Amino acid sequence: MASRKKHSVRRVLYVAIPAAILGSILFFHYQHTVRAFGPEQPIYFSHRVHAGVKEISCNFCHPFAERSRNPGIPEMEKCFYCHKHVIPTHPQIVKERQHYENNDPVQWKKVYYVPDHVKFMHKPHIKWGGLECAECHGEVKTMDRLQSVDFQMKFCITCHRQREAQLDCWLACHH
Ligand code: HEC
Ligand code: HEC
Ligand code: HEC
Ligand code: HEC
C-alpha cells in the first residue's frame, strides 16, 4: 500500500515538475514577447506593409522630421490619398474612414519617449548629422507594430561621444 502511494506521488511529481518548468518558460517567454512590441494601436497600421513591402518613403508620411520639432504623424486625410482606391472595404480602412468622416482624429499611442525635461529635435540629427531614421528607431520597415523605446540619456550620450557630436550642451540645450 505504502509503496503504491509513494509511486503515485512520484508519478504526480513526474508530471507536475516538468509542467511547472514548461509553464514558467512559457510565462517568461510570453512576457518577453509582449514587451518586445509597443502598444496596440486603435487602427491596425503596419510599417512593414507600407514602408517595407510597398516601399513608401518615411518622408511621405512624416515630412517634417528634418524641418521641425514635430516629425508629423500623418493626418487622416493622407491615408485616403491611397485608400480611397486601395482596399477601400478593408475593415480597418472602413474604421479609419468613420474617424475621418466624423472628424474624430485617431488617437495613435506614442511609442518613443524621451525623459520629460529633454527637448529632442530631429533637425540637427537628420539635416546636419546625416543620420538614418533606423539608427534611432530601429528597422521600422520590418515591424508590423512598432517597438516601444524609452530613450535614456545614456543613448544620447553614447552616440554623441562616438560621433564626436556636442557633449557640453547637456546643461544648456534642454530646458
Ligand atoms: C501611399 C499609399 C498609402 C498610404 C498613404 C497609406 N496606405 Fe495603407 N496600404 C497601402 C497599400 C498599397 C496597402 C496594401 C494593400 C494590399 O494589400 O492590397 C496598404 C494596406 C493597408 C492596410 C491593410 C494591412 C494589411 O495587413 O493588409 C491598412 C489597415 C492600412 N493600409 C492602413 C493605412 C492607414 C491607417 C493609413 C494612414 C495613416 C495608410 N494606410 C496610408 C497604401 C497606402
Ligand atoms: C503610409 C504612412 C507611413 C509611412 C510610409 C511611415 N510611417 Fe511611421 N507612422 C505612421 C503612422 C500612421 C504612425 C502612428 C501609428 C504607429 O505608431 O504605428 C507612425 C508612427 C511612427 C513612429 C512612432 C512615433 C511615436 O512615438 O509614436 C515612428 C518613429 C515612425 N513612424 C517612423 C517611421 C519611419 C522611420 C518610416 C520609414 C521607414 C515610417 N515611419 C514610414 C505612418 C507612416
Ligand atoms: C538621433 C535619433 C533619431 C533619429 C535619427 C530619428 N529620430 Fe525620430 N525620434 C527620436 C526621438 C528621441 C523621438 C521621441 C521624441 C519626443 O518624444 O519628443 C522621436 C520621435 C519620432 C516620431 C514621433 C513624434 C511624435 O509626434 O510622437 C516620429 C514620427 C519620428 N520620430 C520619425 C522619424 C523619422 C521619419 C526619422 C528619419 C527621417 C527619424 N525619426 C529619425 C529620435 C530619432
Ligand atoms: C545615433 C546617434 C545620436 C543619437 C542617438 C543622438 N544624437 Fe544628438 N546628435 C548626433 C549628431 C551626429 C549630432 C551633430 C549634428 C551636427 O551638428 O553635425 C547631434 C546633435 C545634437 C544636438 C545639437 C547640438 C548642436 O550642435 O546644436 C542636440 C541638442 C542633440 N543632438 C541632442 C540629442 C538628444 C537629447 C538625444 C537623445 C534623446 C540625442 N541627441 C541622440 C547624434 C546622435
Side-chain angles (χ1 to χ4, degrees):
M1 259 320 245
S3 86
R4 278 275 294 280
K5 194 161 176 201
K6 213 192 239 161
H7 256 104
S8 63
V9 167
R10 202 179 286 159
R11 210 176 301 144
V12 167
L13 290 180
Y14 279 147
V15 178
I17 292 175
I21 292 172
L22 186 65
S24 62
I25 289 172
L26 286 175
F27 178 72
F28 285 115
H29 180 70
Y30 179 69
Q31 280 202 321
H32 179 75
T33 311
V34 169
R35 238 186 282 121
F37 293 90
E40 190 171 337
Q41 298 288 355
I43 303 271
Y44 173 87
F45 177 85
S46 166
H47 277 83
R48 184 184 60 80
V49 169
H50 291 88
V53 181
K54 301 297 175 186
E55 299 183 312
I56 302 167
S57 129
C58 313
N59 269 327
F60 181 78
C61 290
H62 305 293
F64 308 121
E66 62 178 76
R67 283 186 270 142
S68 87
R69 178 175 289 167
N70 190 341
I73 298 293
E75 62 277 25
M76 296 185 284
E77 203 176 352
K78 199 169 262 182
C79 310
F80 294 104
Y81 283 175
C82 301
H83 287 293
K84 211 196 302 175
H85 312 291
V86 179
I87 56 168
T89 58
H90 188 291
Q92 294 293 314
I93 300 298
V94 170
K95 198 167 157 195
E96 176 84 26
R97 192 182 310 111
Q98 281 162 356
H99 279 278
Y100 183 44
E101 283 167 359
N102 295 324
N103 203 11
D104 167 27
V106 177
Q107 303 292 320
W108 301 108
K109 293 186 189 127
K110 208 171 155 47
V111 292
Y112 291 88
Y113 286 97
V114 288
D116 275 349
H117 59 282
V118 175
K119 295 269 178 289
F120 178 80
M121 289 177 297
H122 280 82
K123 189 174 171 179
H125 294 95
I126 296 167
K127 204 163 181 181
W128 307 328
L131 296 180
E132 300 288 333
C133 315
E135 290 183 75
C136 296
H137 291 296
E139 289 298 332
V140 162
K141 59 161 100 65
T142 65
M143 300 175 199
D144 282 318
R145 205 197 281 178
L146 296 183
Q147 283 170 276
S148 272
V149 177
D150 256 319
F151 282 101
Q152 300 297 333
M153 208 55 104
K154 203 170 73 187
F155 180 71
C156 316
I157 291 172
T158 306
C159 180
H160 274 226
R161 204 164 269 147
Q162 281 165 359
R163 312 275 174 137
E164 295 176 359
Q166 184 156 332
L167 283 169
D168 53 324
C169 98
W170 296 102
L171 291 174
C173 287
H174 35 93
H175 35 67

